[in-house]
């Protein structure tokens, strides 16, 4: 079948301000298996430009696909533009089948199929096998009720098939790298780059995380196979920077160490950046030199808050002591640390923001990023925030970089002011500037310079947006009134494998313990 995959132009600051663009790993992961099944697959990456809606409509008409697949890694904020793309595509090609996937549609499938006729089918959860089976069924004219992991309309009513079982072997599906021109994609200050994923999911129960339930269970690729793929991308396509999409790639000490050793054995000069947990860094203190040898330059550590009681409430599982120690260990081993600090978990006062600033200064991270808590309907935090007031009605701004919730004690302008003050003080303090100016490692010097250049642009862009461009409600609805009822009971988007029951088979005088197959 003729398939066009569209990566919508994303409105988030990270997509619009830097000159760099990263390839859409999720869509390439869908494309690889479809190519292997013999389909004609093309990727339209509308992030470049970005393409206007008219341009995208024209490209869809010119391509005239049988199936249009739309998805974005920032699916909540990309939903409004995805709706427009699908609507225009249907107007141009009325018989076109539009398939929609990602985190947001996985959970909001009932609303989407009830209210938005431009979408025909929604793929729920990870889509490699679901898309293959779906396209196979459409091509053969078979009913969709035999394909797990779908939502669609039957007699004009939204229905869904059972959740698909998680992919146990992540190496069974390849990424469709041939769908992109590697020369167009860069990160880290103009270096050729891709997004990769060693693992999916996270074993920690943070109540606000919108990704944990989507992947349902932490799994990882074969460490040696993954290292070899990085080696091939570097040697064959000149890729220098590998940005990890994992929520927590270091969850398994043993598997992560195996990966680092395998990548070191590839003997390539690459840069690895991503996110992890501070307690994993502290856990690995005895072999952090392997991180550096393998190419790790920076890890973002989601510290979220400097108050122990808040960390406990959101089930973060970390501690302020561990956070400080992780930053120190990263610096001692020649790697950069970025701390994220999130406003809005509690009803903060000005004194709380002042205390947070002092705590963050004591942490002494190399880089800082202030975010705003964003309640997703399928997370436990949504129920906690259900009665709070929404001040941002534009869904495209639910990107963690815009305030969406009101706080009782501090008005929005002062919350924003504190956020910008914290970023400015942390990045412009004498100690931070001294490290910037005296950095001897050429790769880290490049990384520091690039981050400061990009950070200045983003900082002023956000200030301008808050003062001039962005509109907020003076009196808005509650979170529950804005989104509807909680979907926490559906947080796990995928089915876990059935457990094999242990049985005892008597043989002679002894017995052998084995496993019975799962019940059908």
């Amino acid at each position: 079948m003729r398939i066009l995959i569209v990566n919508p132009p994303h409105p988030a600051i990270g997509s619009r301000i830097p000159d760099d663009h990263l390839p859409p790993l999720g869509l390439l992961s869908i494309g690889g298996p479809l190519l292997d099944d013999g389909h004609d697959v093309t990727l339209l990456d509308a992030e470049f430009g970005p393409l206007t809606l008219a341009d995208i409509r024209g490209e869809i008409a010119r391509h005239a696909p049988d199936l249009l697949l739309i998805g974005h890694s920032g699916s909540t904020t990309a939903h409004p533009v995805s709706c427009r793309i699908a609507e225009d595509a249907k107007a141009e090609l009325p018989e076109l089948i539009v398939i929609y996937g990602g985190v947001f549609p996985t959970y909001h499938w009932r609303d989407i199929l009830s209210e938005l006729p431009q979408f025909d089918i929604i793929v729920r959860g990870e889509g490699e096998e679901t898309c293959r089976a779906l396209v196979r069924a459409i091509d053969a004219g078979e009913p969709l009720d035999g394909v797990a992991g779908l939502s669609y309309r039957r007699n004009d009513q939204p229905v869904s098939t059972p959740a698909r079982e998680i992919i146990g072997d992540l190496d069974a599906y390849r990424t469709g790298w041939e769908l992109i021109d590697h020369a167009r994609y860069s990160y880290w200050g103009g270096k050729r780059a891709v997004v990769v994923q060693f693992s999916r999911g996270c074993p920690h129960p943070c109540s606000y995380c919108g990704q944990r339930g989507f992947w349902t269970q932490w799994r990882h690729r074969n460490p040696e196979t993954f290292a070899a793929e990085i080696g091939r991308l570097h040697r064959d396509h000149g890729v220098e920077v590998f940005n990890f999409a994992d929520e927590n790639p270091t969850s398994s000490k043993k598997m992560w160490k195996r990966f680092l050793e395998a990548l070191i054995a590839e003997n390539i000069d690459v840069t690895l950046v991503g996110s992890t947990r501070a307690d994993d860094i502290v856990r690995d203190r005895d072999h952090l030199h392997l991180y550096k040898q393998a190419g790790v330059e920076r890890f973002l550590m989601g510290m979220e808050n400097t108050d122990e009681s808040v960390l406990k409430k959101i089930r973060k599982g970390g501690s302020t002591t561990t956070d400080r120690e992780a930053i120190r260990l990263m610096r001692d081993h020649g790697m950069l640390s970025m701390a994220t600090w999130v406003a809005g978990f509690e009803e903060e006062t000005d004194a709380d923001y002042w205390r947070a600033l002092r705590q963050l200064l004591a942490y002494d991270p190399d880089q800082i990023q202030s975010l705003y808590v964003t309640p997703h309907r399928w997370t436990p935090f949504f129920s906690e925030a259900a009665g709070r007031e929404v001040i941002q009605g534009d869904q495209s701004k639910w990107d963690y970089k815009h305030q969406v919730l009101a706080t009782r004690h501090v008005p929005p302008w002062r919350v924003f002011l504190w956020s910008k003050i914290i970023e400015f003080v942390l990045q412009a303090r004498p100690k931070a500037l001294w490290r910037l100016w005296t950095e001897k490692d050429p790769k880290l010097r490049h990384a520091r310079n690039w981050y400061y250049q990009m950070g200045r642009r983003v900082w002023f862009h956000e200030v301008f947006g808050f003062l001039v461009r962005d509109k907020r409600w003076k009196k808005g609805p509650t979170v529950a009134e804005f989104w509807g009822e909680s979907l926490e009971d559906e947080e796990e988007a995928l089915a876990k494998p059935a457990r094999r029951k242990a049985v005892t088979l008597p043989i002679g005088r002894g017995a052998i313990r084995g496993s019975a197959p799962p019940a059908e």
Side-chain angles (χ1 to χ4, degrees):
M1 299 194 78
R2 189 171 173 83
I3 301 170
L4 180 63
I5 304 177
V6 174
N7 187 39
H10 197 251
I13 291 167
S15 296
R16 299 281 69 87
I17 293 300
D19 299 319
D20 298 321
H21 290 290
L22 286 163
L25 176 65
L27 300 182
L28 299 182
S29 299
I30 300 298
L34 292 175
L35 286 167
D36 291 344
D37 283 353
H39 299 289
D40 178 358
V41 182
T42 301
L43 172 70
L44 174 62
D45 193 345
E47 288 277 29
F48 287 102
L51 294 181
T52 65
L53 287 168
D55 292 334
I56 297 169
R57 179 172 180 161
E59 287 295 319
I60 294 171
R62 184 184 64 79
H63 194 81
D66 301 309
L67 306 175
L68 178 67
L69 276 61
I70 301 175
H72 199 287
S73 57
S75 57
T76 296
T77 48
H79 178 66
V81 71
S82 297
C83 293
R84 292 288 306 278
I85 291 170
E87 186 177 15
D88 288 350
K90 282 286 195 178
E92 198 71 37
L93 303 168
E95 301 304 313
L96 178 65
I97 298 175
V98 179
I99 302 167
Y100 191 26
V103 178
F104 183 83
T106 287
Y107 297 103
H108 286 254
W109 63 269
R110 294 180 187 85
D111 300 330
I112 293 170
L113 292 174
S114 296
E115 302 167 9
L116 301 169
Q118 62 265 46
F119 294 110
D120 297 302
I121 303 167
I122 290 174
V123 173
R124 305 192 327 273
E126 55 193 1
E128 286 91 337
E129 185 56 37
T130 303
C131 282
R132 291 181 72 183
L134 169 61
V135 174
R136 196 179 301 125
I138 293 173
D139 198 20
E142 297 173 349
L144 300 184
D145 54 10
V147 181
L150 294 182
S151 295
Y152 57 98
R153 297 180 193 86
R154 183 191 297 146
N155 299 324
D156 294 327
Q157 296 300 311
V159 297
S160 67
T161 61
R164 180 167 293 277
E165 188 173 296
I166 63 172
I167 297 173
D169 180 9
L170 295 178
D171 292 304
Y173 302 90
R174 72 175 187 86
T175 305
W177 296 116
E178 64 267 47
L179 292 172
I180 65 170
D181 176 2
H182 284 276
R184 300 184 73 195
Y185 294 92
S186 62
Y187 184 54
W188 217 239
K191 294 187 176 183
R192 189 168 297 189
V194 296
V195 180
V196 292
Q197 195 174 39
F198 175 58
S199 66
R200 290 180 177 177
C202 181
H204 301 279
C206 303
S207 66
Y208 57 88
C209 179
Q211 288 286 113
R212 190 200 68 82
F214 180 79
W215 300 118
T216 303
Q217 183 173 294
W218 191 83
R219 299 149 280 151
H220 63 85
R221 293 187 57 183
N222 175 276
E224 290 75 25
T225 301
F226 183 57
E229 181 174 5
I230 289 177
R232 284 195 302 273
L233 288 168
H234 176 72
R235 285 186 284 265
D236 297 348
H237 300 287
V239 178
E240 298 178 78
V241 178
F242 294 84
N243 187 16
F244 281 64
D246 308 45
E247 285 72 40
N248 193 6
T250 59
S251 286
S252 168
K253 177 179 180 177
K254 179 180 178 181
M255 291 300 111
W256 180 249
K257 186 178 180 184
R258 267 180 56 184
F259 160 68
L260 294 174
E261 291 170 339
L263 188 58
I264 291 168
E266 290 286 330
N267 193 30
I268 54 177
D269 183 16
V270 294
T271 293
L272 310 182
V273 295
S275 303
T276 190
R277 286 177 60 93
D279 42 9
D280 286 3
I281 296 296
V282 175
R283 178 201 67 194
D284 292 347
R285 65 194 313 152
D286 291 337
H287 62 264
L288 284 176
H289 61 283
L290 297 180
Y291 282 57
K292 179 66 173 178
Q293 268 185 274
V296 173
E297 284 189 29
R298 184 191 75 186
F299 264 136
L300 179 154
M301 290 178 281
M303 296 169 181
E304 321 319 5
N305 209 276
T306 58
D307 189 310
E308 294 278 8
S309 64
V310 174
L311 293 175
K312 184 177 180 180
K313 182 177 180 180
I314 63 177
R315 306 194 307 221
K316 179 66 180 177
S319 71
T320 56
T321 302
T322 301
D323 292 344
R324 284 194 297 268
E325 179 67 1
I327 290 170
R328 184 190 68 79
L329 288 168
M330 290 283 287
R331 180 171 294 123
D332 287 349
H333 288 83
M335 295 175 285
L336 302 176
S337 63
M338 171 185 274
T340 57
W341 175 79
V342 183
F345 283 121
E346 291 287 287
E347 301 282 317
E348 294 104 337
T349 64
D350 289 302
D352 293 320
Y353 288 116
W354 172 248
R355 191 179 306 112
L357 173 57
R358 294 181 64 184
Q359 281 273 52
L360 288 167
L361 285 169
Y363 281 13
D364 194 24
D366 295 295
Q367 298 167 358
I368 183 73
Q369 183 173 195
S370 295
L371 304 172
Y372 304 97
V373 67
T374 303
H376 292 297
R377 197 173 167 190
W378 55 93
T379 64
F381 179 72
F382 181 89
S383 296
E384 298 173 24
R388 293 180 61 179
E389 181 186 346
V390 173
I391 60 172
Q392 180 50 259
D394 182 351
Q395 187 177 333
S396 69
K397 292 183 170 57
W398 282 61
D399 59 358
Y400 299 95
K401 294 296 287 179
H402 293 83
Q403 289 179 70
V404 298
L405 300 181
T407 57
R408 262 190 312 159
H409 306 297
V410 183
W413 71 266
R414 220 155 65 231
V415 174
F416 179 80
L417 180 63
W418 274 115
S419 174
K420 295 300 106 182
I421 287 174
I422 287 171
E423 288 180 339
F424 179 81
V425 171
L426 266 291
Q427 295 296 162
R429 70 196 194 280
K431 187 184 292 186
L433 295 175
W434 178 255
R435 290 178 184 137
L436 171 68
W437 296 330
T438 62
E439 178 61 65
K440 295 180 180 179
D441 184 318
K443 292 181 74 174
L444 292 188
R445 185 166 61 249
H446 170 88
R448 289 183 188 274
N449 283 325
W450 170 74
Y451 185 77
Y452 269 86
Q453 291 167 12
M454 185 186 72
R456 282 196 300 270
R457 294 170 64 187
V458 171
W459 196 88
F460 284 110
H461 178 86
E462 291 179 343
V463 170
F464 176 80
F466 185 87
L467 296 176
V468 179
R469 186 180 58 249
D470 301 341
K471 305 301 180 185
R472 287 167 297 281
W473 288 329
K474 291 184 178 179
K475 182 63 178 177
T478 65
V479 170
E481 290 168 342
F482 184 76
W483 284 118
E485 64 183 14
S486 169
L487 299 175
E488 182 183 348
D489 290 343
E490 302 174 19
E491 183 185 10
E492 293 191 345
L494 301 167
K496 294 179 181 178
R499 290 190 175 184
R500 301 175 70 87
K501 298 179 179 179
V503 297
T504 301
L505 304 176
I507 299 179
R509 295 166 59 187
I512 297 176
R513 286 186 64 80
S515 295
E520 294 294 335

